[in-house]
């Protein structure tokens, strides 16, 4: 417990850097108050302040670029990916590591063709796998269970969990049911189907949800306690709140429940201008709502109260990629001010950070957290 003994982070840093001025007892007390990443995240989950706001940054492509490693050579290499994540955390000071492979093993097992590139995630190229109602039967979790990609991701999470036990949390990953359906059917076609063939989409999403659950449970079994659900097509830029409620909410509720029943915490990530989606996101029961910079964090907090943690939302493009470090730091501090003065908040960019993001901006986001709580 921190309570009345809480000392703001800048004071801790100041005093730790000038230990000669303190007695031994005082130094020990300050060391006790400084939390490790695991404790800091658990404090945020309990809606307590902790010693500072925990930080999560998805920036695998920056880390690969810095290490001069092309993605295709490492995408199925659990050991190298774990080294990269652990080194990134050590260097920048964030609190989670990311237990995800970018290999599109689910799509490939179901029959899709991927195109690999050096500096960004692989993409699925046409022709798409799901063309008719009958094709839905091809979405069989058993095919995905036997893939090298799932096996590698399991090893990656297990390795991270072994090396960071009790020290930091592993953020596992699964695709959202709409995202996977879009990969298999073609995103535009799936969005169109939602309006003209809703029953077909319900059946398609029921099938993809089972694959999403398989991947999430694999990561939990390997030692992750949080699962990041990447669900870009549920964005307010793509579908209306009504379509969300009809199409996405039931499958999100099923996926979140499966994660929680296995002892995990679900982090539902939806990109873009999704303000009107937030109350529906809360109804999924997800433990953490990850919202992009298109959502105002103060309004989101107002809408969800203490029902869920919030995660976000420094602008990925105008802030992280194009902004100065001063701008990133100021925006990150505003995020803490809006959503995190009472815990229940994880500071993060709004979405996946592009590979050519300046590293100074990755430092800047952690500096904002280190500066302590405003007010
Ligand atoms: Zn996103």
């Amino acid at each position: 417990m921190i309570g009345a003994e809480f000392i703001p982070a800048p004071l801790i840093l100041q005093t730790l850097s000038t230990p000669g001025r303190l007695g031994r007892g005082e130094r020990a007390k300050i060391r006790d108050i400084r939390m490790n990443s695991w404790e800091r995240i658990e404090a945020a989950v309990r809606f307590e302040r902790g010693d500072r706001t925990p930080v999560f940054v998805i920036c695998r492509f920056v880390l690969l670029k810095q290490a001069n490693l092309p993605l295709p050579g490492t995408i199925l290499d659990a050991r190298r990916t774990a080294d990269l994540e652990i080194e990134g955390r050590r260097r920048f000071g964030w609190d989670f590591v990311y237990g995800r492979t970018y290999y599109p093993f689910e799509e490939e097992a179901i029959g899709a063709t991927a195109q690999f590139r050096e500096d960004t995630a692989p993409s699925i190229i046409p022709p798409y796998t799901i063309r008719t109602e009958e094709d839905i039967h091809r979405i069989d979790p058993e095919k995905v269970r036997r893939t090298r990609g799932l096996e590698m991701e399991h090893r990656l999470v297990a390795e991270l969990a072994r090396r960071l036990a009790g020290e930091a949390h592993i953020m596992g990953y699964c695709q959202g049911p709409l995202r996977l359906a879009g990969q298999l059917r073609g995103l535009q076609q799936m969005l169109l189907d939602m309006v003209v063939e809703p029953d077909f989409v319900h059946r398609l999403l029921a099938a993809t949800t089972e694959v999403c659950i398989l991947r999430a449970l694999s990561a939990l079994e390997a030692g992750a306690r949080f699962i990041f659900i990447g669900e870009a097509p549920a964005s307010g830029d793509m579908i209306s709140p009504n379509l969300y409620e009809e199409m996405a909410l039931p499958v999100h509720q099923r996926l979140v429940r499966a994660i929680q029943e296995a002892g995990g915490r679900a982090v539902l990530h939806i990109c873009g201008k999704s303000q009107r989606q937030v109350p529906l996101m809360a109804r999924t029961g997800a433990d953490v709502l990850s919202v992009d910079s298109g959502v105002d964090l103060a309004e989101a907090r107002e809408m969800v109260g203490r029902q869920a943690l919030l995660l976000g939302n420094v602008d990925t493009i105008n802030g992280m990629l194009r902004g100065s470090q001063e701008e990133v730091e100021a925006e990150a501090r505003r995020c803490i001010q809006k959503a995190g003065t009472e815990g229940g908040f994880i500071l993060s960019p709004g979405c996946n950070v592009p590979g050519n993001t300046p590293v100074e901006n990755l430092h800047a986001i952690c500096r904002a957290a280190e500066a302590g709580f405003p007010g």
Side-chain angles (χ1 to χ4, degrees):
M1 275 299 288
I2 295 192
E5 291 213 319
F6 175 74
I7 297 177
L11 180 60
I12 295 172
L13 292 179
Q14 232 174 44
T15 48
L16 284 179
S17 60
T18 53
R21 283 200 254 133
L22 294 170
R24 193 175 297 162
E26 285 166 299
R27 281 208 300 277
K29 199 164 145 190
I30 286 172
R31 268 200 304 275
D32 286 347
I33 291 168
R34 186 77 183 167
M35 294 173 155
N36 72 17
S37 291
W38 182 287
E39 295 162 339
R40 187 172 293 133
I41 293 162
E42 291 302 319
V45 168
R46 294 190 302 268
F47 277 81
E48 291 168 10
R49 271 186 159 197
D51 64 339
R52 66 162 171 80
T53 303
V55 178
F56 173 55
V57 180
I58 300 179
C59 62
R60 177 75 50 76
F61 298 101
V62 183
L63 299 177
L64 284 163
K65 196 171 168 217
Q66 288 283 306
N68 224 346
L69 292 170
L71 179 72
T74 51
I75 198 164
L76 283 174
D77 189 332
R79 172 61 65 88
R80 271 177 136 175
T81 308
D83 288 345
L84 206 62
E85 284 291 323
I86 287 175
E87 173 57 19
R89 175 175 173 268
R90 192 198 59 74
R91 185 170 164 204
F92 296 103
W94 46 65
D95 297 293
F96 289 87
V97 286
Y98 198 29
R100 173 185 183 181
T101 177
Y102 281 85
Y103 195 91
F105 59 90
E106 298 148 300
E107 294 88 338
E108 210 175 72
I110 296 164
T113 308
Q115 189 170 55
F116 290 86
R117 288 169 296 185
E118 291 285 302
D119 56 353
T120 186
S123 54
I124 301 301
I125 50 171
Y128 292 103
T129 319
I130 306 300
R131 288 183 288 268
T132 65
E133 180 85 38
E134 288 70 57
D135 290 334
I136 293 178
H137 301 295
R138 301 175 75 173
I139 307 172
D140 175 5
E142 286 313 308
K143 288 188 203 157
V144 178
R145 195 188 299 280
R146 294 190 296 266
T147 55
R148 275 199 311 156
L150 186 70
E151 193 238 342
M152 177 276 184
E153 193 167 76
H154 189 277
R155 270 190 295 122
L156 167 63
V157 173
E159 167 111 6
L160 290 168
R162 185 179 61 77
R163 288 165 66 179
L164 296 171
E167 193 188 322
H169 269 294
I170 293 100
M171 185 72 82
Y173 174 82
C174 74
Q175 303 195 59
L178 276 70
R179 184 178 193 279
L180 180 55
Q183 296 275 84
L184 299 170
R185 171 75 171 150
L187 180 59
Q188 295 305 326
Q189 187 59 53
M190 183 194 68
L191 294 173
L192 191 66
D193 293 337
M194 282 186 172
V195 181
V196 296
E197 281 194 88
D199 290 342
F200 167 74
V201 181
H202 281 303
R203 283 190 286 276
L204 176 60
L205 293 176
T208 55
T209 304
E210 299 311 308
V211 176
C212 302
I213 291 173
L214 172 81
R215 185 170 184 177
L217 297 194
S218 168
L220 292 172
E221 202 258 338
R225 287 290 166 270
F226 289 79
I227 300 292
F228 191 87
I229 305 168
E231 190 63 310
S235 164
D237 298 330
M238 306 248 187
I239 61 174
S240 68
N242 283 345
L243 266 185
Y244 185 106
E245 188 172 17
E246 189 199 332
M247 294 286 168
L249 185 58
V251 287
H252 286 172
Q253 284 169 332
R254 164 142 174 75
L255 175 57
V256 165
R257 216 168 29 243
I259 290 169
Q260 291 168 343
E261 280 170 6
R265 294 169 178 143
V267 181
L268 179 59
H269 171 75
I270 296 182
C271 319
K273 291 196 181 66
S274 300
Q275 194 90 1
R276 294 194 303 157
Q277 252 62 333
V278 172
L280 294 158
M281 290 171 76
R283 277 174 58 196
T284 64
D287 301 271
V288 185
L289 309 184
S290 166
V291 290
D292 206 345
S293 48
V295 173
D296 182 83
L297 281 175
E299 286 177 34
R301 173 61 78 216
E302 185 93 12
M303 288 190 265
V304 303
R306 290 188 164 212
Q307 219 182 315
L309 279 80
L310 295 173
L311 186 150
N313 69 359
V314 176
D315 192 310
T316 313
I317 303 302
N318 294 318
M320 298 302 295
L321 180 65
R322 299 194 189 126
S324 68
Q325 40 182 319
E326 292 76 21
E327 286 164 344
V328 169
E329 195 175 335
E331 194 184 338
R333 298 205 66 182
R334 275 198 297 279
C335 292
I336 298 173
Q337 173 91 57
K338 283 180 172 185
T341 53
E342 304 301 327
F345 179 60
I346 298 162
L347 178 64
S348 167
C351 196
N352 195 346
V353 164
N356 47 350
T357 299
V359 290
E360 301 77 50
N361 290 351
L362 299 181
H363 285 296
I365 201 164
C366 287
R367 246 190 344 264
E370 282 292 341
F373 295 96

